[in-house]
């Protein structure tokens, strides 16, 4: 889901960069000293998850785990994911620097929205396992829709490609949902205090 440098129009780059700066500023406003270690850990999880590639026909998909990151650190996800994206762009060539704002919106905004869905109880009507599944499924769906939107707005020639993104990323949504079930159950058993502030 990373957009590389040179893909987006200059107008979209500027607009997404401004929004990205606002997101990081919002995170910094909510930053507390005791949260720094957890922010770093979540950034590392996001960074490492990109290395876990799952073969799918002629291509492969990778995990992002933004749902779990969102419910654990809320608005601080913007800062955590920004740092991870920056290192991915510089060290690995994933994404790019001019597209950093767009990639932050695509990855971090769904993470934060998932946090809000859980915090406000929008998923409480669901069976517990389905709820955990949706915590993984929803952010990948939203990220895919945002990616398609950014591409479609940027250049007309990307319009057709943006239509195919949802179908192409559908397996990732389901895999992420299933893995999130196991991950949350593991955290509840092994590090329950980590979920103290989460309404699960």
């Amino acid at each position: 889901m990373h957009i590389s440098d040179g893909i987006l129009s200059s107008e979209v780059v500027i607009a997404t960069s401004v929004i990205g700066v606002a997101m990081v500023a919002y995170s910094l406003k909510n930053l507390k000293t005791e949260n720094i270690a957890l922010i770093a850990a979540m950034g590392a999880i996001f960074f490492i998850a990109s290395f876990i590639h799952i073969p799918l026909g002629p291509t492969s998909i990778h995990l992002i785990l933004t749902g779990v990151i969102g419910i654990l650190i809320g608005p601080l996800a913007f800062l955590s994911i920004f740092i991870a994206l920056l290192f991915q762009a510089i060290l690995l060539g994933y994404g790019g620097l001019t597209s950093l704002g767009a990639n932050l919106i695509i990855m971090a905004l769904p993470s934060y929205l998932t946090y809000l869905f859980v915090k406000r109880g929008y998923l409480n009507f669901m069976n517990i396992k389905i709820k955990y599944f949706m915590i993984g499924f929803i952010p990948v769906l939203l990220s895919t829709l945002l990616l398609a939107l950014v591409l479609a707005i940027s250049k007309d020639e990307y319009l057709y490609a943006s239509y195919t993104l949802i179908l192409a990323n559908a397996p990732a949504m389901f895999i992420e949902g299933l893995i999130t079930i196991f991950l949350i159950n593991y955290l509840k058993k092994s590090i329950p205090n980590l979920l103290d502030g989460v309404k699960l």
Side-chain angles (χ1 to χ4, degrees), residues 117-136:
F117 293 160
V118 172
K119 181 182 179 182
R120 296 178 181 176
Y122 295 160
L123 306 180
N124 286 350
F125 68 94
M126 298 177 176
N127 170 279
I128 195 68
K129 288 186 179 179
I130 295 176
K131 180 179 178 180
Y132 294 172
F133 176 87
M134 294 306 291
I135 289 171

Side-chain angles (χ1 to χ4, degrees), residues 34 61 64 76 78-79 93 96 129 164 168 186:
E34 59 266 26
I61 55 178
I64 53 177
L76 298 174
F78 295 124
L79 178 60
K129 288 186 179 179
T164 65
Y186 171 79

